[in-house]
Amino acid sequence: MTTRPGPHARLTGGLLLWYGVLGGAVAWGVHVFAAWGLDELACAAGSERVAAVPLWQAVGLAVVIPALFTVGSLLVAALVWRRTRRAGEDDRAFGRSRMLAVVGVWSNLLFLAIIVLGGVAVLVLPPCQG
């Protein structure tokens, strides 16, 4: 006898699955707007500070916070992948969840690398070039 999850559990599981799949992409978008935006605002103001915070610290936060969000998304996708490993091939819902989890793992690894390397570029290259 199997116990079917209730609607609250299905909603929570579905939202977590989508966080595992799309979390890295959303975090990358936040990173792009925050890190490069802070850099451009400081350059336009002719300053090395943003609201009394050194530019490198502000940009560092705009890299670390989205990177942590992406790592969380990666862990959720890996957990879903592990939990759906034993699913029978006849259960299409588990198959879809497993496929989405695999996409989430690989896309989150890619977005984590993009966030880290984009942060390195913003922190290493001097602001206001050109």
Side-chain angles (χ1 to χ4, degrees):
M1 182 168 128
T2 61
T3 305
R4 299 199 60 87
H8 181 66
R10 283 196 308 255
L11 175 64
T12 304
L15 291 175
L16 277 174
L17 176 61
W18 284 111
Y19 166 62
V21 174
L22 299 175
V26 171
W28 172 71
V30 168
H31 159 73
V32 167
F33 283 115
W36 290 100
L38 288 171
D39 190 50
E40 290 298 319
L41 285 175
C43 180
S47 174
E48 289 288 322
R49 300 176 93 59
V50 176
V53 176
L55 180 62
W56 70 270
Q57 287 179 350
V59 171
L61 283 175
V63 171
V64 169
I65 292 171
L68 290 175
F69 191 81
T70 303
V71 168
S73 182
L74 176 63
L75 293 175
V76 167
L79 179 67
V80 171
W81 178 73
R82 283 190 60 212
R83 294 237 172 138
T84 57
R85 186 178 340 188
R86 297 188 190 132
E89 292 185 14
D90 57 337
D91 194 350
R92 294 181 58 165
F94 274 106
R96 281 191 301 268
S97 296
R98 185 166 174 80
M99 188 258 324
L100 285 172
V102 169
V103 168
V105 167
W106 286 107
S107 66
N108 286 321
L109 285 171
L110 176 66
F111 283 117
L112 183 61
I114 292 170
I115 289 169
V116 169
L117 293 175
V120 168
V122 172
L123 291 172
V124 169
L125 297 174
C128 304
Q129 289 184 6

